[in-house]
Amino acid sequence: MTNYITTPIYYVNGEAHIGHAYTTFIADTMARYARLKGDDVFFLTGTDEHGQKIEESAKKNNMLPQDFANEISKTFKDLWDSLDISYDKFIRTTDVNHTKGVQKAFLTMYKNGDIYKGNYSGHYCVSCEAFFPQTQLVDGEFCPDCGRETTIVEEESYFFRLSKYEKKLLEFYESNPDFILPRSRKTEITNFIKSGLNDLSVTRTSFSWGIKLPDSLHDNKHVMYVWLDALMNYITALGYAEDDTNMKYWPANLHLVGKDILRFHAVYWPAFLMSLDLPLPKHIGAHGWWTKDGEKMSKSKGNVVAPKEVCDLYGVENFRYFMLREVPFGQDGDFSKRALIDRINSDLGNDLGNLLNRIIGMSGKYSDLHIDSKDVLKYHSSEFDKTVEILSTLPSYIDKLQLHKYLEELWKVFSIANKAIEEHTPWVKVKENKTEEALATIALVANILAKASILLYPVMPKTTSIIADTLSFSIDTNSYELLIIKKGLLAPFFIKKTPPLFPRIEDEVDIEIESTKKDTVKTELKPQSDDGLIEIGQFFQTSLKVGTVIDAVEVAKSKKLLCLKVDLAENEPRQIIAGIKEFYTPKELIGTQVCVVANLKPAKLMGLVSEGMLLAAKDESGLSLLRIESYKKEGTTIG
Ligand code: MSP
């Protein structure tokens, strides 16, 4: 089955922010899910490069529009590549084939009488690239969508007979109730149409940065209206100009858009397609808008969040999970680092990560890492059935783009697994010589994790592939078929040891290392008795070791942090992120010995995992590392 999924094409007047990343993450998730099911997917994204807005932005930057577009378009493409977006094609509206396709469509609509020449007189919002009749303006001059001042346009123009399609459009929505998702947005569109559709001006003459009309019309004063040009990308990308075989992907299954551009996609686009005698897309999904700490993002406020920065600090997939889980599809959402960190530590670290760690630990202790599903149904049929039942409801959520609900339901199976461990306490069963039962619980949890990872894969492809690798299987159409559709169990396997997937994030961005130390001291070595003294055993709960620094570099963008590699005579050197940059250079540390707190839970600082802490003393004159008087072997215990 073909399945064509698109994002909007992004204007090249500025770099991407998290709103753009959101649409793209949803589209990528939908594309990966469809591929997993075995669909023949075509996933399109790209950039929208013509129009008055881009022409003006280029001028402000003293650049030619094409050079300006090349530069910004590349930043979008590079960003999507660095965020692992699995697009099949990245279209640019300045591509030659796109231009040809738009001209072909224009001529077809002209020839069938749907485009005619006239004069336009009215208001135009350059930022929204949209025309508005006087009656729709706020205070007679401001754009009803973005609030900016509009300009008066009076020029010769070609018009598209939008009014002709009023009835046909209303009938179409009526017989396709899931055309607009969420369904709640349909009324706003039907009301817009019922208030009367004017014919749409589809060319401009007062600037030149756009696609020229087809040569056969001999009218080179005009360039195409940027929205006609842009919407056509969905068919030109498939080779509409040359009747390419990729046209087999048409009609699109899903156009993903923000709520602000729903009207263009749900009214103008279907009308153009009706005029071209092409089938209409199956769904237009309109998502809400993201704000930052409760405020609208804007360059002037300086609060625009760059997706790359967030991903570098917190992980692409953790961020994807956060965005898709945090906000019901269609509603507005707010981005704050606190909310993101909480989701990572709680949902990902506690619910999912710990589950994996627990079965690695228990299978290591009780069955030499071997896991066999043979007794799962004997001891755990109710937990297994409940899991399978929940998982079977998930497609209905994703099909309606309710990704938050999809993830919410998916998380219920992690709680079944966590509860099974707590209730059945395998460690007690082993002591009671009921090893078969204990191993069945471990195998149940492994199976739940495997099934859930497959369904989490579209949202977190790399993370879930690591989980699958730990459980010795791969996520693909076959395992989807076996473990999800056929509700099967894992064949016997050996679990692989994997480091924790979601190290706890201790604080926001430029974390103060000193305060982390204080917190650690408070929680780890809190005196137990009233006199403030501790038992010797309490002191020895802290593992202190001698290590040799074998590498040291500065942490980018941090005033305080160095990233060290410290040899503790373990399999791998430890990575330790230390707040000592103001007092030591990387060079003077390499080859020297340090005292390391070696049994701290890993923490993330500035996006880097720290697997220990250095002992140091600090007063008003500065900071000194604690050193061993003479060389001691790496890994030697201090105490
Ligand atoms: N070029 C047009 C789309 C043409 S599609 C044939 C356009 N480009 S845009 O760059 O301005 O916006 C692209 C998408 O980003 C839109 O879907 C828009 O809704 C979305 N977002 C822009 N700011 C946003 C937020 N703050 N939050 C969420 N999405 C936002 O419109």
Side-chain angles (χ1 to χ4, degrees):
M1 192 172 86
T2 59
N3 192 336
Y4 182 27
I5 296 168
T6 69
T7 71
I9 45 172
Y10 302 103
Y11 282 133
V12 290
N13 63 320
E15 288 185 17
H17 57 65
I18 56 168
H20 302 129
Y22 182 55
T23 327
T24 314
F25 285 158
I26 300 175
D28 187 62
T29 298
M30 297 304 289
R32 287 177 187 271
Y33 175 72
R35 288 190 199 109
L36 193 60
K37 284 192 313 175
D39 289 358
D40 175 7
V41 174
F42 194 91
F43 170 23
L44 177 72
T45 189
T47 41
D48 189 354
E49 307 186 5
H50 290 126
Q52 194 171 354
K53 176 155 77 173
I54 311 296
E55 190 180 87
E56 287 178 6
S57 298
K59 209 175 275 169
K60 269 192 211 135
N61 285 277
N62 287 324
M63 286 173 87
L64 290 172
Q66 184 65 68
D67 294 340
F68 183 68
N70 290 348
E71 207 167 88
I72 308 272
S73 176
K74 186 172 180 314
T75 65
F76 273 93
K77 188 160 186 294
D78 289 349
L79 176 68
W80 302 149
D81 289 339
S82 74
L83 302 187
D84 296 322
I85 302 302
S86 63
Y87 60 83
D88 294 293
K89 184 174 168 89
F90 186 97
I91 191 170
R92 300 183 55 186
T93 54
T94 50
D95 290 342
V96 178
N97 285 350
H98 173 74
T99 303
K100 280 192 198 155
V102 176
Q103 288 171 333
K104 175 177 163 183
F106 192 94
L107 197 60
T108 311
M109 297 194 284
Y110 182 81
K111 282 189 179 156
N112 70 20
D114 273 350
I115 287 183
Y116 63 92
K117 202 168 177 178
N119 280 298
Y120 183 80
S121 159
H123 287 257
Y124 193 77
C125 171
V126 178
S127 177
C128 297
E129 295 281 17
F131 299 96
F132 294 100
Q134 180 80 35
T135 50
Q136 282 181 16
L137 298 179
V138 176
D139 294 338
E141 55 179 326
F142 299 104
C143 171
D145 284 350
C146 73
R148 291 186 178 84
E149 206 174 330
T150 55
T151 47
I152 295 174
V153 171
E154 280 196 55
E155 54 191 42
E156 183 185 270
S157 177
Y158 286 78
F159 286 85
F160 173 74
R161 282 187 209 284
L162 189 60
S163 53
K164 175 177 148 185
Y165 291 95
E166 238 176 72
K167 200 160 152 261
K168 269 180 105 177
L169 285 168
L170 291 173
E171 282 166 7
F172 177 76
Y173 306 141
E174 210 42 50
S175 46
N176 294 278
D178 281 332
F179 175 62
I180 297 169
L181 291 172
R183 282 183 176 196
S184 53
R185 289 226 167 258
K186 187 175 124 185
T187 337
E188 127 198 356
I189 295 297
T190 47
N191 286 348
F192 173 76
I193 296 186
K194 283 178 190 158
S195 71
L197 283 182
N198 295 322
D199 287 351
L200 181 70
S201 165
V202 285
T203 66
R204 304 284 314 272
T205 56
S206 49
F207 65 92
S208 60
W209 182 236
I211 296 182
K212 297 261 177 265
L213 301 199
D215 288 344
S216 57
L217 294 183
H218 304 293
D219 203 346
N220 54 21
K221 265 204 315 227
H222 295 253
V223 292
M224 307 244 191
Y225 171 41
V226 64
W227 269 103
L228 174 106
D229 165 352
L231 288 163
M232 292 297 167
N233 94 89
Y234 299 131
I235 52 174
T236 62
L238 300 178
Y240 171 74
E242 309 84 12
D243 288 326
D244 199 299
T245 50
N246 272 346
M247 277 303 281
K248 73 172 182 204
Y249 289 103
W250 191 258
N253 188 50
L254 174 65
H255 292 313
L256 261 166
V257 300
K259 62 180 184 180
D260 53 318
I261 57 171
L262 176 62
R263 189 176 76 233
F264 300 92
H265 285 80
V267 182
Y268 304 164
W269 182 224
F272 292 155
L273 288 165
M274 285 173 181
S275 173
L276 293 172
D277 204 18
L278 285 171
L280 305 199
K282 294 192 193 108
H283 308 286
I284 313 278
H287 64 73
W289 267 48
W290 281 85
T291 49
K292 163 86 197 322
D293 297 319
E295 288 191 36
K296 195 172 174 209
M297 279 182 285
S298 76
K299 273 190 205 152
S300 54
K301 278 195 200 135
N303 65 348
V304 175
V305 184
K308 187 79 175 73
E309 244 163 61
V310 183
C311 291
D312 285 350
L313 282 174
Y314 300 103
V316 180
E317 299 199 353
N318 296 346
F319 181 45
R320 261 171 93 113
Y321 170 79
F322 165 79
M323 291 201 105
L324 302 188
R325 172 75 190 258
E326 189 75 1
V327 180
F329 184 82
Q331 290 180 24
D332 293 342
D334 187 51
F335 175 81
S336 75
K337 281 184 187 138
R338 193 66 266 160
L340 171 61
I341 292 173
D342 287 348
R343 282 270 175 217
I344 298 175
N345 285 345
S346 159
D347 300 8
L348 297 175
N350 292 349
D351 301 342
L352 169 57
N354 278 349
L355 200 56
L356 186 66
N357 298 343
R358 287 176 96 175
I359 62 160
I360 297 175
M362 288 191 291
S363 61
K365 263 194 189 154
Y366 309 132
S367 60
D368 290 331
L369 297 170
H370 190 248
I371 294 191
D372 192 328
S373 309
K374 68 181 169 38
D375 295 319
V376 168
L377 296 179
K378 180 167 161 194
Y379 294 103
H380 291 293
S381 62
S382 83
E383 284 109 332
F384 185 80
D385 292 347
K386 187 87 197 110
T387 301
V388 165
E389 188 192 318
I390 292 174
L391 297 182
S392 68
T393 64
L394 295 193
S396 67
Y397 296 115
I398 204 164
D399 290 344
K400 293 219 161 82
L401 291 168
Q402 295 179 345
L403 290 166
H404 71 289
K405 190 76 185 144
Y406 177 90
L407 291 168
E408 208 176 290
E409 290 299 302
L410 185 55
W411 247 249
K412 286 188 182 158
V413 309
F414 295 134
S415 85
I416 294 179
N418 275 312
K419 221 159 119 205
I421 299 179
E422 275 145 40
E423 265 174 26
H424 300 281
T425 50
W427 52 95
V428 175
K429 293 267 161 47
V430 169
K431 276 194 194 139
E432 294 169 353
N433 275 333
K434 294 178 184 159
T435 311
E436 183 180 284
E437 274 181 57
L439 298 188
T441 307
I442 296 170
L444 167 81
V445 174
N447 275 281
I448 294 180
L449 260 175
K451 287 174 191 289
S453 303
I454 295 177
L455 291 171
L456 183 58
Y457 167 86
V459 180
M460 307 187 76
K462 283 199 170 142
T463 311
T464 50
S465 298
I466 298 174
I467 299 177
D469 190 45
T470 309
L471 303 176
S472 298
F473 79 105
S474 319
I475 299 179
D476 53 26
T477 315
N478 293 336
S479 54
Y480 176 79
E481 181 68 25
L482 176 75
L483 294 172
I484 303 297
I485 303 294
K486 296 198 173 131
K487 307 177 179 25
L489 288 162
L490 290 165
F493 66 96
F494 282 96
I495 205 164
K496 286 187 200 145
K497 286 196 171 176
T498 308
L501 289 175
F502 309 102
R504 227 187 138 65
I505 297 175
E506 295 294 353
D507 203 346
E508 294 187 17
V509 190
D510 204 350
I511 195 161
E512 292 282 337
I513 200 85
E514 287 81 6
S515 68
T516 329
K517 273 188 190 169
K518 278 179 217 135
D519 288 350
T520 314
V521 169
K522 257 187 266 151
T523 50
E524 301 284 320
L525 293 178
K526 198 164 120 208
Q528 300 291 305
S529 58
D530 294 342
D531 55 12
L533 299 176
I534 59 164
E535 302 290 338
I536 184 86
Q538 281 175 284
F539 174 74
F540 282 113
Q541 282 175 3
T542 311
S543 162
L544 300 175
K545 288 187 175 174
V546 178
T548 300
V549 179
I550 55 170
D551 193 20
V553 288
E554 296 187 348
V555 171
K557 294 192 191 155
S558 168
K559 287 188 273 214
K560 300 195 155 110
L561 302 178
L562 291 183
C563 173
L564 313 180
K565 293 275 168 358
V566 182
D567 181 2
L568 290 180
E570 297 169 326
N571 287 345
E572 300 273 324
R574 297 259 188 131
Q575 170 164 290
I576 296 180
I577 310 301
I580 55 174
K581 185 168 159 184
E582 291 154 292
F583 312 102
Y584 292 90
T585 62
K587 214 168 140 200
E588 68 185 299
L589 287 168
I590 296 176
T592 66
Q593 290 206 299
V594 285
C595 301
V596 176
V597 181
N599 62 343
L600 278 182
K601 281 190 181 166
K604 252 192 173 180
L605 308 168
M606 293 290 283
L608 298 168
V609 178
S610 183
E611 303 165 312
M613 192 174 89
L614 304 188
L615 293 185
K618 189 177 172 198
D619 65 8
E620 47 301 331
S621 68
L623 176 144
S624 276
L625 285 169
L626 258 70
R627 309 287 204 167
I628 296 290
E629 208 168 60
S630 61
Y631 172 83
K632 286 284 160 270
K633 273 193 224 146
E634 285 75 23
T636 305
T637 300
I638 303 171

